[in-house]
Amino acid sequence: MFALVNGLAADGRLTSEQESFRRSSYDWYDANLANPSLVDPMVYDRELNFGAEAWFKASAVEHVEQVSGHLEILGMYQVGCESIWSSDPGEVIYEDDHQVVVVPYGLRQQQPADAAANSPTPR
């Protein structure tokens, strides 16, 4: 979801109000959520952890509430997305009080030789 909103911003499609929301929201997340790649620089390494994705924990209520503004922006531009809830989203490679970063089960075996060129980086 963050990457989708960032894509709209990079394309210059956000209104000044939407861009202001995006920046203030990211400031809030920066102040209230650890950046996994700053804690463990290898967590999003595309060769080591191909397909790694961050998931909020169910207990991260405030963090999940902040998502609604991003979803509104995506809806305005008819960018499809969906919420997925799982008690076991994959192999946990990072965890803190609010989030986990996982590699989806089976993805390590499917990793293409050119994973570095094909894998998106979350957030």
Side-chain angles (χ1 to χ4, degrees):
M1 172 224 33
F2 293 117
L4 295 172
V5 173
N6 288 343
L8 292 171
D11 289 345
R13 296 180 61 195
L14 298 183
T15 66
S16 59
E17 181 180 273
Q18 291 167 336
E19 179 60 19
S20 178
F21 165 79
R22 185 182 77 91
R23 289 180 183 267
S24 66
S25 174
Y26 288 3
D27 288 345
W28 185 88
Y29 279 111
D30 286 344
N32 293 283
L33 187 67
N35 181 335
S37 60
L38 294 178
V39 177
D40 177 0
M42 301 304 288
V43 75
Y44 290 121
D45 179 275
R46 292 177 178 169
E47 290 182 25
L48 182 62
N49 296 314
F50 176 71
E53 302 172 337
W55 288 66
F56 287 122
K57 291 182 174 182
S59 60
V61 175
E62 255 189 304
H63 300 80
V64 173
E65 287 174 353
Q66 290 285 327
V67 168
S68 63
H70 298 272
L71 297 178
E72 287 177 26
I73 290 171
L74 294 174
M76 293 174 85
Y77 292 94
Q78 299 179 342
V79 176
C81 65
E82 62 182 327
S83 295
I84 300 173
W85 298 82
S86 175
S87 60
D88 189 14
E91 176 189 347
V92 176
I93 57 173
Y94 169 87
E95 182 171 10
D96 64 38
D97 290 343
H98 306 293
Q99 64 189 327
V100 294
V101 177
V102 303
V103 173
Y105 293 120
L107 201 56
R108 288 189 194 278
Q109 292 77 24
Q110 299 173 14
Q111 180 175 350
D114 61 346
N118 295 322
S119 178
T121 302
R123 193 160 189 234

